[in-house]
Amino acid sequence: MRHLRVVCRLADSGSVSKAAAALGVSQPSLTAQLHRIEDTIGGPLFERSPFGILPTPLGKHVLGRARAMLADMDDLLGSSRRYSARPGPLRLGSVRTVMFGAWLSRLEELLPDRQITTQVDTSCAVLTDLLAADVVDVIMLGRCDDAHAPPCPARAVEQTMVYPEPFAVALPATHRLASRDEIQLADLAEDTWIIPPAGKEDGDLAVLREACEAVGFSPQVRYPNLDSAEIEQLIGEGRGICLCAPTVRPIPTTVIRPLAGQPVIWRRALRWRPETISRADINVIHQAFIDTYRATIADNATTHPWWQTTPTAHPTIHAPCA
């Protein structure tokens, strides 16, 4: 079952390096493990492409069977927990964020008697699938609007923690617009956009395209398989621009500027199934997140010269439900 989860994570990540990071192993270790799995099954499961790795015909067959088997196993484990009197581990899923370590530390202080296990991914769609399959109890999403976002699974509910969260844009310090206090999206028509790491599509790229097309251009998108450090380096070297949340930390040789009119906004939300986690736990998770979010804003966003004079660029934070 562990090997089947590795194969599914590789397919969802679309990249050996991203899958290795999500699984907490080195890339050479994961590559060696994949070779052992392929030797056992009898053929290659993935092939390289310009956009990462793609499943072979054999890989598609194995993935179809693996997902069904894993869903059955997860359902068995989830249903079995209902007969146990002692609380099991709190299984937390989250999108990648600069706040994750601080948030997790805060949660472990607030829930000292609970073991917290984590699943981190770049894609809200992957996390939603993990919730639907009962691999995690609760997920934190930084998701786009309802028209493009992965739908909430059956029996699951969503609770907003931050909305709206207006996105800014990271520009090279030498960019022609770097001296402006606010950027019009239409003025970025000739720029190259760097997008987050490739993986299962979750609507984020569609939202960017829609916002750009609404002001008259289609974004030129490049470099789909880079991690955060590589993206920051490319921006600093003048190779492109990127959307960023107000929580983003200062980046050398880069400036962060708000987008006029809030053309791209995000929602930070929790999703969970009520039968697997209590309302009390959800409120603790929610409060710990927004406390961490406020602290991160205070550390990072307030360093921008435009922050105090541009209230429209500030996110709205929501307290837990009573």
Side-chain angles (χ1 to χ4, degrees), residues 46-63:
F46 298 95
E47 58 187 3
R48 294 192 177 277
S49 79
F51 304 102
I53 57 171
L54 297 173
T56 63
L58 174 59
K60 291 178 181 178
H61 169 73
V62 171
L63 282 165

Side-chain angles (χ1 to χ4, degrees), residues 8-260:
C8 291
R9 178 50 65 108
L10 282 162
D12 291 337
S13 299
S15 161
V16 176
S17 62
K18 303 302 184 296
L23 293 167
V25 300
S26 69
Q27 184 172 338
S29 174
L30 181 58
T31 299
Q33 187 175 27
L34 175 59
H35 288 161
R36 292 194 295 270
I37 296 170
E38 291 176 329
D39 289 342
T40 301
I41 290 175
L45 301 180
F46 298 95
E47 58 187 3
R48 294 192 177 277
S49 79
F51 304 102
I53 57 171
L54 297 173
T56 63
L58 174 59
K60 291 178 181 178
H61 169 73
V62 171
L63 282 165
R65 297 290 297 273
R67 294 189 195 281
M69 294 171 66
L70 289 170
D72 286 342
M73 177 58 74
D74 293 332
D75 182 65
L76 172 62
L77 295 174
S79 61
S80 299
R81 281 196 299 274
R82 301 181 191 124
Y83 298 91
S84 174
R86 58 191 177 91
L90 173 59
R91 302 172 301 164
L92 175 67
S94 175
V95 293
R96 294 195 179 280
T97 168
V98 297
M99 299 173 287
F100 184 75
W103 178 37
L104 180 60
S105 295
R106 194 182 295 259
L107 271 179
E108 289 178 333
E109 291 175 0
L110 294 171
L111 299 170
D113 298 328
R114 298 290 298 276
Q115 178 191 5
I116 302 176
T117 64
T118 60
Q119 293 270 356
V120 179
D121 204 280
T122 58
S123 169
C124 294
V126 169
L127 292 168
T128 297
D129 289 345
L130 293 176
L131 179 66
D134 197 32
V135 177
V136 292
D137 300 312
V138 56
I139 55 177
M140 189 283 286
L141 306 179
R143 70 169 182 81
C144 54
D145 63 14
D146 294 335
H148 297 285
C152 209
R155 306 191 313 278
V157 295
E158 179 175 292
Q159 181 167 295
T160 295
M161 298 186 292
V162 181
Y163 181 82
E165 183 181 38
F167 264 41
V169 61
L171 307 166
T174 56
H175 194 278
R176 65 189 185 282
L177 305 177
S179 62
R180 294 190 183 179
D181 293 332
E182 195 173 54
I183 306 294
Q184 296 288 336
L185 184 60
D187 291 338
L188 300 172
E190 303 304 319
D191 285 274
T192 296
W193 292 82
I194 305 174
I195 61 174
K200 187 170 183 179
E201 175 56 46
D202 59 5
D204 288 359
L205 181 56
V207 166
L208 173 61
R209 291 190 187 280
E210 188 175 89
C212 293
E213 289 168 358
V215 295
F217 73 97
S218 294
Q220 305 174 48
V221 175
R222 293 186 66 190
Y223 314 116
N225 290 308
L226 304 179
D227 61 24
S228 297
E230 293 164 338
I231 291 173
E232 291 174 2
Q233 184 178 11
L234 278 178
I235 296 172
E237 293 179 353
R239 304 306 297 266
I241 64 176
C242 185
L243 289 175
C244 59
T247 52
V248 67
R249 62 179 181 268
I251 306 170
T253 66
T254 299
V255 298
I256 310 298
R257 294 291 182 265
L259 289 168

